[in-house]
Amino acid sequence: MKNKPIGIFDSGVGGLTVARQIMDALPQEHLIYFGDSLRAPYGDRAPEQLAQFSRQIIDFLMDKDIKALVVACGTISARIFGTVEQMTDIPVLGMVVPGVTAALAATKTGRIGVMATAGTVASGAHRTAILTQRPDAQVMSVACPLFVPLTEEGWSDNTVADMTAQIYLADMAANRIDTAILGCTHYPLLINSIKKALPSDVTIVDPAVVLAQDLKKTLGDAGLTRVDDTLPVHQFYISGNKEKFDKISALALKVSCDAQVVKLYGNK
Ligand code: DGL
């Protein structure tokens, strides 16, 4: 059981930023990644559809005999985490709790910005979790729907990305937040543009850093940490365009991956 892989999934390349943090925190673990790039973005899809997609992907990953599941998609984590948790009996980790934990640890003023997909913002998941722990906090959430297609296209560090970030984040920048959560796993790939759009004293938190530590603890507590010294094997599967994914993976993972295209749902 200890030597089984960890399953990770997202709508596309975004979850690779989470995979990177997991590789850094748990360098001995095997990873199996699924990016549903053919159906990205997930950002404004209905919860029922997100549940159907998650079911298909989790069945695929469970067939690969994973020991834990990371929902490396902010939207699924925010909208249907409880439903996804019930789809399997292995440990499941999502992105909302780690993001909120990191933000509450970083903020001094309690003025917290959340940038995320439209679905995540509509769910109010971050706001609810923040206010439960810090009732005097002020949460400002902004949907940034163009960030995901920009990232999937590999346009993560150009003037279009800079201008898009400036427009989306102008109110947040003017609102004297001291901490901002990257509420979508694609957004760390736009970090340069996001930094330029916010005042330099705003702390930007990537939930994946805390998630990787939470995962380490979860595996340790469950006796599931891989003990073998041999190098881990990572596998990457996608539903969409391989060339695009492999190219962006070099940015997101800092190593390129040779993704395999799979037909989960009768796609071309
Ligand atoms: N990266 C995912 C998230 O964290 C999905 C974004 C999308 O596909 O719209 O929300």
Side-chain angles (χ1 to χ4, degrees), residues 17-268:
T17 65
V18 182
R20 177 70 264 161
Q21 297 296 339
I22 294 172
M23 286 177 185
D24 289 347
L26 293 157
Q28 78 285 13
E29 297 291 345
H30 301 302
L31 307 183
I32 297 193
Y33 186 91
F34 185 84
D36 198 3
S37 38
L38 194 69
R39 297 190 292 201
Y42 277 5
D44 49 13
R45 290 189 183 269
E48 298 72 28
Q49 201 168 32
L50 293 173
Q52 183 204 339
F53 295 177
S54 300
R55 176 80 270 169
Q56 290 166 331
I57 297 167
I58 291 169
D59 285 349
F60 171 79
L61 291 171
M62 292 303 290
D63 277 351
K64 304 266 172 210
D65 212 12
I66 57 172
K67 64 181 174 185
L69 177 70
V70 174
V71 183
C73 172
T75 309
I76 292 179
S77 304
R79 301 215 84 175
I80 55 158
F81 189 70
T83 307
V84 169
E85 264 187 317
Q86 283 169 14
M87 291 180 183
T88 172
D89 51 11
I90 58 173
V92 182
L93 285 90
M95 303 308 301
V96 175
V97 172
V100 167
T101 304
L104 288 172
T107 187
K108 292 191 176 66
T109 62
R111 298 179 69 85
I112 299 170
V114 181
M115 60 190 93
T117 64
T120 298
V121 169
S123 78
H126 293 88
R127 174 186 300 277
T128 306
I130 290 169
L131 293 176
T132 304
Q133 293 179 65
R134 184 162 170 175
D136 69 325
Q138 308 243 8
V139 183
M140 182 177 182
S141 306
V142 178
C144 309
L146 289 176
F147 279 1
V148 169
L150 276 174
T151 313
E152 291 284 328
E153 195 53 38
W155 284 29
S156 54
D157 202 4
N158 65 16
T159 47
V160 179
D162 286 352
M163 286 171 66
T164 308
Q166 260 171 41
I167 294 167
Y168 280 144
L169 304 179
D171 285 350
M172 207 183 259
N175 249 286
R176 294 182 297 110
I177 55 162
D178 77 346
T179 303
I181 301 176
L182 300 175
C184 166
T185 55
H186 280 72
Y187 297 2
L189 287 162
L190 289 170
I191 190 67
N192 292 337
S193 302
I194 290 169
K195 272 188 184 158
K196 281 184 227 165
L198 290 175
S200 57
D201 57 356
V202 172
T203 304
I204 300 171
V205 299
D206 178 356
V209 176
V210 171
L211 176 131
Q213 294 307 322
D214 289 351
L215 178 61
K216 192 172 183 174
K217 184 169 186 318
T218 301
L219 294 180
D221 290 351
L224 288 175
T225 307
R226 180 169 177 250
V227 282
D228 200 324
D229 284 344
T230 55
L231 282 178
V233 178
H234 304 313
Q235 298 170 54
F236 299 89
Y237 297 93
I238 50 168
S239 55
N241 184 296
K242 173 177 165 56
E243 286 70 34
K244 232 187 226 178
F245 187 89
D246 285 352
K247 191 168 145 227
I248 303 165
S249 73
L251 276 180
L253 270 183
K254 317 278 194 287
V255 288
S256 57
C257 62
D258 182 16
Q260 290 179 53
V261 180
V262 289
K263 294 177 180 158
L264 270 200
Y265 38 84
N267 46 319
K268 306 138 258 168

